PDB file of all heavy atoms in Angstrom:
ATOM      1  N   VAL A  30      21.246 -46.710   7.971  1.00  0.00           N
ATOM      2  CA  VAL A  30      22.215 -46.433   6.982  1.00  0.00           C
ATOM      3  C   VAL A  30      21.727 -46.747   5.509  1.00  0.00           C
ATOM      4  O   VAL A  30      22.375 -46.421   4.593  1.00  0.00           O
ATOM      5  CB  VAL A  30      23.506 -47.229   7.195  1.00  0.00           C
ATOM      6  CG1 VAL A  30      24.126 -46.751   8.432  1.00  0.00           C
ATOM      7  CG2 VAL A  30      23.198 -48.720   7.279  1.00  0.00           C
ATOM      8  N   ASN A  31      20.514 -47.344   5.491  1.00  0.00           N
ATOM      9  CA  ASN A  31      19.983 -47.723   4.148  1.00  0.00           C
ATOM     10  C   ASN A  31      18.541 -47.084   4.081  1.00  0.00           C
ATOM     11  O   ASN A  31      17.642 -47.588   4.607  1.00  0.00           O
ATOM     12  CB  ASN A  31      19.812 -49.232   4.073  1.00  0.00           C
ATOM     13  CG  ASN A  31      21.161 -49.898   4.243  1.00  0.00           C
ATOM     14  OD1 ASN A  31      22.006 -49.839   3.375  1.00  0.00           O
ATOM     15  ND2 ASN A  31      21.379 -50.550   5.395  1.00  0.00           N
ATOM     16  N   PRO A  32      18.456 -45.922   3.420  1.00  0.00           N
ATOM     17  CA  PRO A  32      17.183 -45.243   3.408  1.00  0.00           C
ATOM     18  C   PRO A  32      16.030 -46.004   2.939  1.00  0.00           C
ATOM     19  O   PRO A  32      16.231 -46.944   2.029  1.00  0.00           O
ATOM     20  CB  PRO A  32      17.465 -44.059   2.439  1.00  0.00           C
ATOM     21  CG  PRO A  32      18.942 -43.943   2.484  1.00  0.00           C
ATOM     22  CD  PRO A  32      19.529 -45.305   2.658  1.00  0.00           C
ATOM     23  N   GLU A  33      14.877 -45.730   3.422  1.00  0.00           N
ATOM     24  CA  GLU A  33      13.685 -46.510   2.976  1.00  0.00           C
ATOM     25  C   GLU A  33      13.340 -46.065   1.571  1.00  0.00           C
ATOM     26  O   GLU A  33      13.395 -44.858   1.220  1.00  0.00           O
ATOM     27  CB  GLU A  33      12.529 -46.191   3.955  1.00  0.00           C
ATOM     28  CG  GLU A  33      12.764 -46.678   5.340  1.00  0.00           C
ATOM     29  CD  GLU A  33      11.592 -46.315   6.293  1.00  0.00           C
ATOM     30  OE1 GLU A  33      10.582 -45.829   5.733  1.00  0.00           O
ATOM     31  OE2 GLU A  33      11.689 -46.561   7.482  1.00  0.00           O
ATOM     32  N   LYS A  34      12.779 -47.034   0.794  1.00  0.00           N
ATOM     33  CA  LYS A  34      12.258 -46.733  -0.516  1.00  0.00           C
ATOM     34  C   LYS A  34      10.745 -46.344  -0.276  1.00  0.00           C
ATOM     35  O   LYS A  34      10.096 -46.674   0.736  1.00  0.00           O
ATOM     36  CB  LYS A  34      12.386 -47.927  -1.437  1.00  0.00           C
ATOM     37  CG  LYS A  34      13.726 -48.223  -1.901  1.00  0.00           C
ATOM     38  CD  LYS A  34      13.623 -49.385  -2.921  1.00  0.00           C
ATOM     39  CE  LYS A  34      15.037 -49.623  -3.498  1.00  0.00           C
ATOM     40  NZ  LYS A  34      14.943 -50.622  -4.587  1.00  0.00           N
ATOM     41  N   ASP A  35      10.182 -45.763  -1.344  1.00  0.00           N
ATOM     42  CA  ASP A  35       8.759 -45.516  -1.310  1.00  0.00           C
ATOM     43  C   ASP A  35       8.024 -46.851  -1.285  1.00  0.00           C
ATOM     44  O   ASP A  35       8.577 -47.859  -1.800  1.00  0.00           O
ATOM     45  CB  ASP A  35       8.321 -44.723  -2.516  1.00  0.00           C
ATOM     46  CG  ASP A  35       8.967 -43.292  -2.518  1.00  0.00           C
ATOM     47  OD1 ASP A  35       9.213 -42.801  -1.399  1.00  0.00           O
ATOM     48  OD2 ASP A  35       9.092 -42.672  -3.556  1.00  0.00           O
ATOM     49  N   GLU A  36       6.840 -46.839  -0.802  1.00  0.00           N
ATOM     50  CA  GLU A  36       5.982 -48.044  -0.859  1.00  0.00           C
ATOM     51  C   GLU A  36       5.778 -48.474  -2.297  1.00  0.00           C
ATOM     52  O   GLU A  36       5.533 -47.631  -3.183  1.00  0.00           O
ATOM     53  CB  GLU A  36       4.688 -47.808  -0.160  1.00  0.00           C
ATOM     54  CG  GLU A  36       3.775 -49.064  -0.160  1.00  0.00           C
ATOM     55  CD  GLU A  36       2.538 -48.790   0.631  1.00  0.00           C
ATOM     56  OE1 GLU A  36       1.618 -48.201  -0.010  1.00  0.00           O
ATOM     57  OE2 GLU A  36       2.431 -49.223   1.794  1.00  0.00           O
ATOM     58  N   PHE A  37       5.934 -49.743  -2.547  1.00  0.00           N
ATOM     59  CA  PHE A  37       5.685 -50.230  -3.928  1.00  0.00           C
ATOM     60  C   PHE A  37       4.566 -51.280  -3.862  1.00  0.00           C
ATOM     61  O   PHE A  37       4.329 -51.954  -2.922  1.00  0.00           O
ATOM     62  CB  PHE A  37       6.954 -50.756  -4.601  1.00  0.00           C
ATOM     63  CG  PHE A  37       7.678 -51.801  -3.782  1.00  0.00           C
ATOM     64  CD1 PHE A  37       7.345 -53.132  -3.984  1.00  0.00           C
ATOM     65  CD2 PHE A  37       8.624 -51.474  -2.901  1.00  0.00           C
ATOM     66  CE1 PHE A  37       8.000 -54.141  -3.325  1.00  0.00           C
ATOM     67  CE2 PHE A  37       9.282 -52.428  -2.180  1.00  0.00           C
ATOM     68  CZ  PHE A  37       8.987 -53.840  -2.360  1.00  0.00           C
ATOM     69  N   VAL A  38       3.917 -51.448  -5.007  1.00  0.00           N
ATOM     70  CA  VAL A  38       2.812 -52.370  -5.144  1.00  0.00           C
ATOM     71  C   VAL A  38       3.140 -53.309  -6.221  1.00  0.00           C
ATOM     72  O   VAL A  38       3.507 -52.933  -7.371  1.00  0.00           O
ATOM     73  CB  VAL A  38       1.480 -51.701  -5.385  1.00  0.00           C
ATOM     74  CG1 VAL A  38       0.312 -52.686  -5.577  1.00  0.00           C
ATOM     75  CG2 VAL A  38       1.115 -50.733  -4.256  1.00  0.00           C
ATOM     76  N   ILE A  39       3.004 -54.664  -5.971  1.00  0.00           N
ATOM     77  CA  ILE A  39       3.303 -55.660  -6.957  1.00  0.00           C
ATOM     78  C   ILE A  39       2.035 -56.556  -7.129  1.00  0.00           C
ATOM     79  O   ILE A  39       1.738 -57.365  -6.244  1.00  0.00           O
ATOM     80  CB  ILE A  39       4.490 -56.536  -6.508  1.00  0.00           C
ATOM     81  CG1 ILE A  39       5.694 -55.688  -6.189  1.00  0.00           C
ATOM     82  CG2 ILE A  39       4.796 -57.602  -7.627  1.00  0.00           C
ATOM     83  CD1 ILE A  39       6.740 -56.446  -5.478  1.00  0.00           C
ATOM     84  N   ASN A  40       1.348 -56.316  -8.213  1.00  0.00           N
ATOM     85  CA  ASN A  40       0.156 -57.103  -8.468  1.00  0.00           C
ATOM     86  C   ASN A  40      -0.817 -57.176  -7.303  1.00  0.00           C
ATOM     87  O   ASN A  40      -1.364 -58.203  -6.958  1.00  0.00           O
ATOM     88  CB  ASN A  40       0.517 -58.549  -8.836  1.00  0.00           C
ATOM     89  CG  ASN A  40       1.486 -58.547 -10.104  1.00  0.00           C
ATOM     90  OD1 ASN A  40       1.278 -57.868 -11.056  1.00  0.00           O
ATOM     91  ND2 ASN A  40       2.512 -59.381  -9.983  1.00  0.00           N
ATOM     92  N   GLY A  41      -0.904 -56.061  -6.606  1.00  0.00           N
ATOM     93  CA  GLY A  41      -1.788 -55.940  -5.465  1.00  0.00           C
ATOM     94  C   GLY A  41      -1.090 -56.257  -4.129  1.00  0.00           C
ATOM     95  O   GLY A  41      -1.668 -55.918  -3.071  1.00  0.00           O
ATOM     96  N   PHE A  42       0.042 -56.813  -4.112  1.00  0.00           N
ATOM     97  CA  PHE A  42       0.841 -57.088  -2.902  1.00  0.00           C
ATOM     98  C   PHE A  42       1.682 -55.834  -2.635  1.00  0.00           C
ATOM     99  O   PHE A  42       2.410 -55.395  -3.475  1.00  0.00           O
ATOM    100  CB  PHE A  42       1.659 -58.273  -2.974  1.00  0.00           C
ATOM    101  CG  PHE A  42       0.892 -59.565  -3.058  1.00  0.00           C
ATOM    102  CD1 PHE A  42       0.321 -60.002  -4.259  1.00  0.00           C
ATOM    103  CD2 PHE A  42       0.688 -60.346  -1.969  1.00  0.00           C
ATOM    104  CE1 PHE A  42      -0.416 -61.173  -4.349  1.00  0.00           C
ATOM    105  CE2 PHE A  42       0.023 -61.501  -2.023  1.00  0.00           C
ATOM    106  CZ  PHE A  42      -0.619 -61.935  -3.187  1.00  0.00           C
ATOM    107  N   ARG A  43       1.612 -55.357  -1.448  1.00  0.00           N
ATOM    108  CA  ARG A  43       2.341 -54.125  -1.029  1.00  0.00           C
ATOM    109  C   ARG A  43       3.659 -54.379  -0.405  1.00  0.00           C
ATOM    110  O   ARG A  43       3.781 -55.199   0.516  1.00  0.00           O
ATOM    111  CB  ARG A  43       1.495 -53.216  -0.161  1.00  0.00           C
ATOM    112  CG  ARG A  43       0.184 -52.798  -0.775  1.00  0.00           C
ATOM    113  CD  ARG A  43      -0.411 -51.589  -0.013  1.00  0.00           C
ATOM    114  NE  ARG A  43      -0.456 -51.817   1.413  1.00  0.00           N
ATOM    115  CZ  ARG A  43      -1.470 -52.451   2.009  1.00  0.00           C
ATOM    116  NH1 ARG A  43      -2.485 -52.930   1.293  1.00  0.00           N
ATOM    117  NH2 ARG A  43      -1.454 -52.636   3.307  1.00  0.00           N
ATOM    118  N   GLY A  44       4.713 -53.686  -0.822  1.00  0.00           N
ATOM    119  CA  GLY A  44       5.966 -53.682  -0.094  1.00  0.00           C
ATOM    120  C   GLY A  44       6.100 -52.422   0.631  1.00  0.00           C
ATOM    121  O   GLY A  44       6.029 -51.296   0.121  1.00  0.00           O
ATOM    122  N   SER A  45       6.313 -52.435   1.940  1.00  0.00           N
ATOM    123  CA  SER A  45       6.271 -51.229   2.799  1.00  0.00           C
ATOM    124  C   SER A  45       7.568 -50.522   2.709  1.00  0.00           C
ATOM    125  O   SER A  45       7.522 -49.282   2.549  1.00  0.00           O
ATOM    126  CB  SER A  45       5.946 -51.680   4.255  1.00  0.00           C
ATOM    127  OG  SER A  45       4.682 -52.185   4.357  1.00  0.00           O
ATOM    128  N   TYR A  46       8.671 -51.162   2.817  1.00  0.00           N
ATOM    129  CA  TYR A  46       9.935 -50.530   2.628  1.00  0.00           C
ATOM    130  C   TYR A  46      10.977 -51.589   2.364  1.00  0.00           C
ATOM    131  O   TYR A  46      10.802 -52.702   2.685  1.00  0.00           O
ATOM    132  CB  TYR A  46      10.317 -49.559   3.763  1.00  0.00           C
ATOM    133  CG  TYR A  46      10.366 -50.104   5.093  1.00  0.00           C
ATOM    134  CD1 TYR A  46      11.578 -50.726   5.545  1.00  0.00           C
ATOM    135  CD2 TYR A  46       9.403 -49.949   6.018  1.00  0.00           C
ATOM    136  CE1 TYR A  46      11.747 -51.235   6.815  1.00  0.00           C
ATOM    137  CE2 TYR A  46       9.494 -50.512   7.285  1.00  0.00           C
ATOM    138  CZ  TYR A  46      10.653 -51.123   7.675  1.00  0.00           C
ATOM    139  OH  TYR A  46      10.789 -51.636   8.948  1.00  0.00           O
ATOM    140  N   GLN A  47      12.087 -51.079   1.845  1.00  0.00           N
ATOM    141  CA  GLN A  47      13.084 -52.102   1.453  1.00  0.00           C
ATOM    142  C   GLN A  47      14.506 -51.581   1.724  1.00  0.00           C
ATOM    143  O   GLN A  47      14.827 -50.460   1.400  1.00  0.00           O
ATOM    144  CB  GLN A  47      13.014 -52.360  -0.090  1.00  0.00           C
ATOM    145  CG  GLN A  47      14.021 -53.352  -0.621  1.00  0.00           C
ATOM    146  CD  GLN A  47      13.793 -53.558  -2.107  1.00  0.00           C
ATOM    147  OE1 GLN A  47      12.909 -52.955  -2.701  1.00  0.00           O
ATOM    148  NE2 GLN A  47      14.542 -54.480  -2.692  1.00  0.00           N
ATOM    149  N   TYR A  48      15.308 -52.413   2.424  1.00  0.00           N
ATOM    150  CA  TYR A  48      16.705 -52.090   2.608  1.00  0.00           C
ATOM    151  C   TYR A  48      17.509 -52.723   1.506  1.00  0.00           C
ATOM    152  O   TYR A  48      17.372 -53.886   1.220  1.00  0.00           O
ATOM    153  CB  TYR A  48      17.192 -52.623   3.976  1.00  0.00           C
ATOM    154  CG  TYR A  48      16.590 -51.870   5.157  1.00  0.00           C
ATOM    155  CD1 TYR A  48      15.545 -52.394   5.830  1.00  0.00           C
ATOM    156  CD2 TYR A  48      17.046 -50.635   5.597  1.00  0.00           C
ATOM    157  CE1 TYR A  48      14.934 -51.698   6.831  1.00  0.00           C
ATOM    158  CE2 TYR A  48      16.552 -49.955   6.582  1.00  0.00           C
ATOM    159  CZ  TYR A  48      15.447 -50.478   7.307  1.00  0.00           C
ATOM    160  OH  TYR A  48      14.918 -49.796   8.306  1.00  0.00           O
ATOM    161  N   THR A  49      18.376 -51.894   0.876  1.00  0.00           N
ATOM    162  CA  THR A  49      19.072 -52.388  -0.284  1.00  0.00           C
ATOM    163  C   THR A  49      20.572 -52.705  -0.060  1.00  0.00           C
ATOM    164  O   THR A  49      21.191 -53.202  -0.925  1.00  0.00           O
ATOM    165  CB  THR A  49      18.979 -51.377  -1.400  1.00  0.00           C
ATOM    166  OG1 THR A  49      19.486 -50.107  -0.924  1.00  0.00           O
ATOM    167  CG2 THR A  49      17.545 -51.192  -1.798  1.00  0.00           C
ATOM    168  N   ALA A  50      21.080 -52.350   1.040  1.00  0.00           N
ATOM    169  CA  ALA A  50      22.501 -52.600   1.351  1.00  0.00           C
ATOM    170  C   ALA A  50      22.620 -53.359   2.652  1.00  0.00           C
ATOM    171  O   ALA A  50      21.650 -53.591   3.368  1.00  0.00           O
ATOM    172  CB  ALA A  50      23.235 -51.291   1.393  1.00  0.00           C
ATOM    173  N   ALA A  51      23.791 -53.766   2.948  1.00  0.00           N
ATOM    174  CA  ALA A  51      24.032 -54.421   4.216  1.00  0.00           C
ATOM    175  C   ALA A  51      23.749 -53.623   5.432  1.00  0.00           C
ATOM    176  O   ALA A  51      24.043 -52.354   5.335  1.00  0.00           O
ATOM    177  CB  ALA A  51      25.507 -54.950   4.231  1.00  0.00           C
ATOM    178  N   ILE A  52      23.287 -54.148   6.447  1.00  0.00           N
ATOM    179  CA  ILE A  52      23.031 -53.434   7.698  1.00  0.00           C
ATOM    180  C   ILE A  52      23.906 -53.976   8.816  1.00  0.00           C
ATOM    181  O   ILE A  52      24.043 -55.162   8.948  1.00  0.00           O
ATOM    182  CB  ILE A  52      21.563 -53.637   8.124  1.00  0.00           C
ATOM    183  CG1 ILE A  52      20.665 -52.895   7.091  1.00  0.00           C
ATOM    184  CG2 ILE A  52      21.319 -53.082   9.511  1.00  0.00           C
ATOM    185  CD1 ILE A  52      19.274 -52.719   7.534  1.00  0.00           C
ATOM    186  N   ASP A  53      24.672 -53.108   9.382  1.00  0.00           N
ATOM    187  CA  ASP A  53      25.569 -53.494  10.500  1.00  0.00           C
ATOM    188  C   ASP A  53      26.542 -54.538   9.954  1.00  0.00           C
ATOM    189  O   ASP A  53      26.967 -55.458  10.704  1.00  0.00           O
ATOM    190  CB  ASP A  53      24.730 -54.047  11.652  1.00  0.00           C
ATOM    191  CG  ASP A  53      25.603 -54.153  12.935  1.00  0.00           C
ATOM    192  OD1 ASP A  53      26.527 -53.308  13.090  1.00  0.00           O
ATOM    193  OD2 ASP A  53      25.333 -55.054  13.732  1.00  0.00           O
ATOM    194  N   GLY A  54      27.001 -54.354   8.739  1.00  0.00           N
ATOM    195  CA  GLY A  54      28.003 -55.246   8.227  1.00  0.00           C
ATOM    196  C   GLY A  54      27.589 -56.642   7.755  1.00  0.00           C
ATOM    197  O   GLY A  54      28.337 -57.469   7.418  1.00  0.00           O
ATOM    198  N   ILE A  55      26.260 -56.853   7.723  1.00  0.00           N
ATOM    199  CA  ILE A  55      25.763 -58.168   7.403  1.00  0.00           C
ATOM    200  C   ILE A  55      25.281 -58.121   5.931  1.00  0.00           C
ATOM    201  O   ILE A  55      24.427 -57.331   5.593  1.00  0.00           O
ATOM    202  CB  ILE A  55      24.536 -58.547   8.309  1.00  0.00           C
ATOM    203  CG1 ILE A  55      25.012 -58.601   9.797  1.00  0.00           C
ATOM    204  CG2 ILE A  55      24.020 -59.906   7.916  1.00  0.00           C
ATOM    205  CD1 ILE A  55      23.883 -58.667  10.752  1.00  0.00           C
ATOM    206  N   ASP A  56      25.767 -58.975   5.110  1.00  0.00           N
ATOM    207  CA  ASP A  56      25.379 -58.963   3.711  1.00  0.00           C
ATOM    208  C   ASP A  56      24.155 -59.753   3.511  1.00  0.00           C
ATOM    209  O   ASP A  56      23.749 -60.625   4.233  1.00  0.00           O
ATOM    210  CB  ASP A  56      26.551 -59.649   2.898  1.00  0.00           C
ATOM    211  CG  ASP A  56      27.810 -58.780   2.828  1.00  0.00           C
ATOM    212  OD1 ASP A  56      27.632 -57.596   2.916  1.00  0.00           O
ATOM    213  OD2 ASP A  56      28.864 -59.421   2.804  1.00  0.00           O
ATOM    214  N   ASN A  57      23.483 -59.488   2.354  1.00  0.00           N
ATOM    215  CA  ASN A  57      22.282 -60.223   2.020  1.00  0.00           C
ATOM    216  C   ASN A  57      22.669 -61.661   1.690  1.00  0.00           C
ATOM    217  O   ASN A  57      23.794 -61.926   1.236  1.00  0.00           O
ATOM    218  CB  ASN A  57      21.615 -59.659   0.733  1.00  0.00           C
ATOM    219  CG  ASN A  57      21.026 -58.251   1.090  1.00  0.00           C
ATOM    220  OD1 ASN A  57      20.661 -57.965   2.191  1.00  0.00           O
ATOM    221  ND2 ASN A  57      20.947 -57.422   0.042  1.00  0.00           N
ATOM    222  N   PHE A  58      21.755 -62.624   1.980  1.00  0.00           N
ATOM    223  CA  PHE A  58      22.045 -64.053   1.854  1.00  0.00           C
ATOM    224  C   PHE A  58      21.415 -64.562   0.585  1.00  0.00           C
ATOM    225  O   PHE A  58      20.218 -64.333   0.295  1.00  0.00           O
ATOM    226  CB  PHE A  58      21.515 -64.783   3.063  1.00  0.00           C
ATOM    227  CG  PHE A  58      21.626 -66.224   2.987  1.00  0.00           C
ATOM    228  CD1 PHE A  58      22.932 -66.800   3.160  1.00  0.00           C
ATOM    229  CD2 PHE A  58      20.578 -67.028   2.659  1.00  0.00           C
ATOM    230  CE1 PHE A  58      23.064 -68.224   3.086  1.00  0.00           C
ATOM    231  CE2 PHE A  58      20.731 -68.418   2.567  1.00  0.00           C
ATOM    232  CZ  PHE A  58      22.000 -68.997   2.801  1.00  0.00           C
ATOM    233  N   ASP A  59      22.149 -65.344  -0.194  1.00  0.00           N
ATOM    234  CA  ASP A  59      21.631 -66.025  -1.426  1.00  0.00           C
ATOM    235  C   ASP A  59      21.240 -67.463  -1.064  1.00  0.00           C
ATOM    236  O   ASP A  59      22.136 -68.296  -0.885  1.00  0.00           O
ATOM    237  CB  ASP A  59      22.625 -65.995  -2.490  1.00  0.00           C
ATOM    238  CG  ASP A  59      22.151 -66.568  -3.825  1.00  0.00           C
ATOM    239  OD1 ASP A  59      20.988 -67.024  -3.810  1.00  0.00           O
ATOM    240  OD2 ASP A  59      22.900 -66.560  -4.781  1.00  0.00           O
TER     241      ASP A  59
END
């Protein structure tokens, strides 16, 4: 339900994909 983002690179460290919304009703934790 949360489409993958394109791969991103941060100062040489790679992020493969990122979920931006809750999955299965579980919210992100602070």
Side-chain angles (χ1 to χ4, degrees):
V30 295
N31 302 288
E33 296 178 6
K34 289 187 175 182
D35 294 336
E36 182 176 79
F37 54 90
V38 178
I39 307 167
N40 303 316
F42 291 81
R43 298 197 311 273
S45 296
Y46 59 83
Q47 178 178 3
Y48 291 98
T49 57
I52 293 193
D53 195 30
I55 302 168
D56 292 328
N57 292 334
F58 176 75
D59 182 359

